[in-house]
Amino acid sequence: MAATYELLYWPGAPGRGEHIRLALEEAGASYSDTARLGMQACGDIVWAQMGDDNLGDATNPPPYAPQILRHGDLLISQTSNILSYLGPRLGLVPTGPGKENDIYKINGLVLTALDGLSNEVHDCHHPIAKELYYEDQKTEAIRRSKEFIKTRLPKHLGYFEKVLKGEASGDGPWLYGGTLTYADLVLFQCLDGTQYAFPKVISAAKESGKYNRLFQHYEAVKSRPRISAYLASERRQGYTLGIYRYYEELDVLPE
Amino acid sequence: MAATYELLYWPGAPGRGEHIRLALEEAGASYSDTARLGMQACGDIVWAQMGDDNLGDATNPPPYAPQILRHGDLLISQTSNILSYLGPRLGLVPTGPGKENDIYKINGLVLTALDGLSNEVHDCHHPIAKELYYEDQKTEAIRRSKEFIKTRLPKHLGYFEKVLKGEASGDGPWLYGGTLTYADLVLFQCLDGTQYAFPKVISAAKESGKYNRLFQHYEAVKSRPRISAYLASERRQGYTLGIYRYYEELDVLPE
């Protein structure tokens, strides 16, 4: 039987594709993943999508960059966009009368998590240009990380603590409506990656007691049976030189 | 009669709120805009939304930051999210049989435009931290802008030229499906702002002849009757010290 969903993404680190994998894994969906093909075969597929001569097809514009989701004739990219397509199909968004607008609240949380705890964390090690090596922007990375840790990170962690405290989160550990949604999976992955990048800083945040709901939320996602099985499987790749990177000189507690 | 849509955003520059305004203006929708209240009254409303003690309400998580759209009981934030809610309601997304998935293609284009020609352009003048003054990160801003102009900007402009060349864009000047969608408005605003920030660089890009479709697209949006009337009205704010800023030392052609 052909796989229902096809994920096109680089191998070698969880990366942006991980948000899509976690949704598919939590739902027990059938999917293929080019990352499992290894760099050569995967690269051929992904580079062809990004090539100058790929103009898309009659109904799909060419994608800008992976990750890309193919589902039948549909080919779409951008993390939050793919998730807004998959969410209702995978049962990761509340449905039914009066819940038609829930997806906009969930998508808002997703975009905020990706901005603050994925894009901003990436830019801590690459503040000047994605195209340059870390070593060539290390001075700037140290400065940016210091500011991020002092000002931005507490703001982001505090925001999600506030969301979890709010009435709209409902009973239980989840972000919205008292039920697990794909926003929970995104926040988990963002915090997991940020913890990889800044272990000392996140450990101090945890010990501060200021973000107890947030760290309970993290554990609640991590212990979902399918997520837990996935994280222990070989399908879960280790962090290396992707979105989230560990450099000892960046992981410094504020004075 | 009460306004149908309520936009909560800072006054003083078009900013991220402009994408929402352009969609509402193109559709001829009735809306209010806190930016028109001036800094004091607007600030009171917006800061209250962002305050530590605002936990949202029974169905809305607290927003992270403006812009925010209120529509009846709904309160949502994040540019692409608000637009995906408004798009179908304002007739800025194709509808009908076989077009159910068009919004994911449009939203993908929106996210790519916002990433490349809004967030990245903002970070050219603030590569270290939003919380610091430009003058305190000017050295890094010069370096980042140089790399952006050399590598990233041609990539982004070339991508949208490719989208406009592709079959899925249909006949005519638009990005998708041969009809104006909110993705067209977003790309227009992104290019307009980038042109404000880097006039010399964008002028050279125009003269290069490499992006003819893109610049024709820009003119096509600009000359839409309602957009044109809006841009000439006092509702359209001038660029100042917002997302898009002009600093002569950053607007430098590659050697």
Side-chain angles (χ1 to χ4, degrees):
Chain A
M1 200 181 92
T4 309
Y5 298 105
E6 187 181 350
L7 176 65
L8 284 72
Y9 196 71
W10 307 112
R16 301 189 200 280
E18 198 64 8
H19 300 286
I20 314 301
R21 290 188 194 105
L22 288 172
L24 292 161
E25 293 282 346
E26 169 63 28
S30 159
Y31 73 103
S32 68
D33 183 347
T34 59
R36 292 184 208 147
L37 302 175
M39 190 51 92
Q40 180 64 52
C42 173
D44 290 346
I45 296 170
V46 176
W47 282 115
Q49 286 292 337
M50 296 171 71
D52 283 343
D53 56 352
N54 177 31
L55 301 178
D57 61 31
T59 59
N60 296 289
Y64 176 75
Q67 77 275 17
I68 300 163
L69 179 82
R70 200 197 316 260
H71 188 212
D73 292 336
L74 185 81
L75 191 88
I76 52 174
S77 50
Q78 293 281 1
T79 312
S80 67
N81 189 43
I82 295 174
L83 289 170
S84 72
Y85 175 81
L86 286 176
R89 287 164 178 80
L90 299 179
L92 295 172
V93 174
T95 51
K99 299 188 174 180
E100 295 81 2
N101 289 335
D102 284 11
I103 193 162
Y104 301 103
K105 298 160 194 182
I106 292 162
N107 190 41
L109 296 169
V110 163
L111 285 158
T112 301
L114 292 174
D115 272 356
L117 297 171
S118 177
N119 298 340
E120 287 192 22
V121 177
H122 168 274
D123 288 1
C124 280
H125 58 74
H126 272 68
I128 300 298
K130 288 184 177 66
E131 287 74 11
L132 297 176
Y133 289 113
Y134 167 69
E135 286 70 21
D136 294 330
Q137 50 194 307
K138 187 172 158 180
T139 307
E140 294 92 340
I142 289 172
R143 193 170 174 217
R144 178 164 174 133
S145 297
K146 191 180 161 192
E147 293 294 332
F148 176 79
I149 290 164
K150 189 175 73 177
T151 313
R152 307 290 299 166
L153 183 64
K155 192 174 170 185
H156 301 321
L157 301 180
Y159 172 70
F160 286 105
E161 183 72 12
K162 201 165 80 160
V163 170
L164 289 164
K165 201 173 170 186
E167 199 184 337
S169 69
D171 296 328
W174 313 122
L175 284 168
Y176 187 75
T179 184
L180 178 109
T181 72
Y182 67 85
D184 296 300
L185 304 174
V186 169
L187 180 59
F188 163 79
Q189 175 58 24
C190 285
L191 189 55
D192 195 65
T194 303
Q195 184 167 246
Y196 172 77
F198 299 116
K200 232 187 328 187
V201 168
I202 293 295
S203 173
K206 197 170 175 176
E207 282 160 29
S208 76
K210 288 183 195 166
Y211 315 109
N212 289 343
R213 288 179 181 83
L214 178 60
F215 288 103
Q216 282 157 15
H217 174 270
Y218 175 86
E219 295 301 330
V221 174
K222 199 174 184 176
S223 62
R224 297 279 295 182
R226 282 173 174 158
I227 296 298
S228 159
Y230 167 68
L231 295 175
S233 77
E234 61 180 14
R235 297 192 300 287
R236 170 75 166 190
Q237 299 167 85
Y239 293 104
T240 49
L241 296 178
I243 307 289
Y244 297 109
R245 301 182 179 195
Y246 173 66
Y247 296 109
E248 193 180 357
E249 62 272 22
L250 304 186
D251 180 32
V252 177
L253 289 169
E255 284 153 21
Chain B
M1 199 181 91
T4 310
Y5 299 104
E6 189 181 348
L7 176 65
L8 284 72
Y9 195 69
W10 307 112
R16 300 189 200 281
E18 198 64 9
H19 299 287
I20 314 304
R21 291 189 193 104
L22 287 173
L24 292 161
E25 293 281 346
E26 169 62 28
S30 160
Y31 72 103
S32 69
D33 183 347
T34 58
R36 291 182 210 149
L37 302 175
M39 189 51 94
Q40 180 64 52
C42 174
D44 290 346
I45 296 170
V46 176
W47 282 116
Q49 286 292 336
M50 296 169 72
D52 283 345
D53 56 351
N54 176 30
L55 301 177
D57 60 31
T59 59
N60 296 289
Y64 176 75
Q67 80 276 19
I68 300 163
L69 179 82
R70 200 198 317 257
H71 188 211
D73 292 337
L74 186 80
L75 192 88
I76 53 175
S77 52
Q78 293 281 0
T79 312
S80 68
N81 189 43
I82 295 174
L83 288 171
S84 71
Y85 174 80
L86 287 177
R89 286 164 179 82
L90 299 179
L92 295 172
V93 174
T95 50
K99 298 187 174 181
E100 295 80 2
N101 290 335
D102 284 11
I103 194 163
Y104 301 103
K105 297 159 194 184
I106 292 161
N107 190 40
L109 296 169
V110 163
L111 286 157
T112 300
L114 292 174
D115 272 356
L117 297 171
S118 177
N119 297 340
E120 288 192 22
V121 177
H122 169 273
D123 288 1
C124 280
H125 58 75
H126 274 68
I128 299 299
K130 288 184 178 66
E131 287 75 11
L132 298 177
Y133 290 113
Y134 167 70
E135 287 68 21
D136 295 330
Q137 49 194 311
K138 187 171 158 180
T139 308
E140 294 92 340
I142 289 171
R143 193 171 174 216
R144 177 162 175 136
S145 297
K146 191 180 162 190
E147 293 295 330
F148 176 78
I149 290 164
K150 190 175 73 177
T151 315
R152 307 289 299 167
L153 183 64
K155 194 174 167 184
H156 301 322
L157 300 180
Y159 172 70
F160 286 105
E161 184 71 12
K162 203 166 79 161
V163 170
L164 289 164
K165 199 174 170 187
E167 199 183 336
S169 68
D171 296 328
W174 314 121
L175 285 168
Y176 187 75
T179 185
L180 178 109
T181 71
Y182 67 86
D184 296 300
L185 304 174
V186 169
L187 180 59
F188 163 79
Q189 175 57 24
C190 285
L191 189 55
D192 194 65
T194 303
Q195 186 168 249
Y196 173 78
F198 300 116
K200 232 187 331 186
V201 168
I202 292 295
S203 172
K206 197 170 177 178
E207 283 161 27
S208 76
K210 287 183 193 165
Y211 315 108
N212 289 343
R213 286 181 183 82
L214 178 60
F215 288 103
Q216 283 157 15
H217 174 271
Y218 175 86
E219 295 300 331
V221 174
K222 199 174 184 174
S223 62
R224 298 280 293 183
R226 283 172 173 158
I227 296 298
S228 160
Y230 168 68
L231 295 175
S233 77
E234 62 180 11
R235 298 193 300 286
R236 171 74 166 190
Q237 298 168 86
Y239 294 104
T240 50
L241 296 178
I243 307 290
Y244 297 110
R245 300 182 180 197
Y246 174 66
Y247 296 108
E248 193 180 357
E249 62 273 22
L250 304 185
D251 180 31
V252 176
L253 290 168
E255 285 154 21

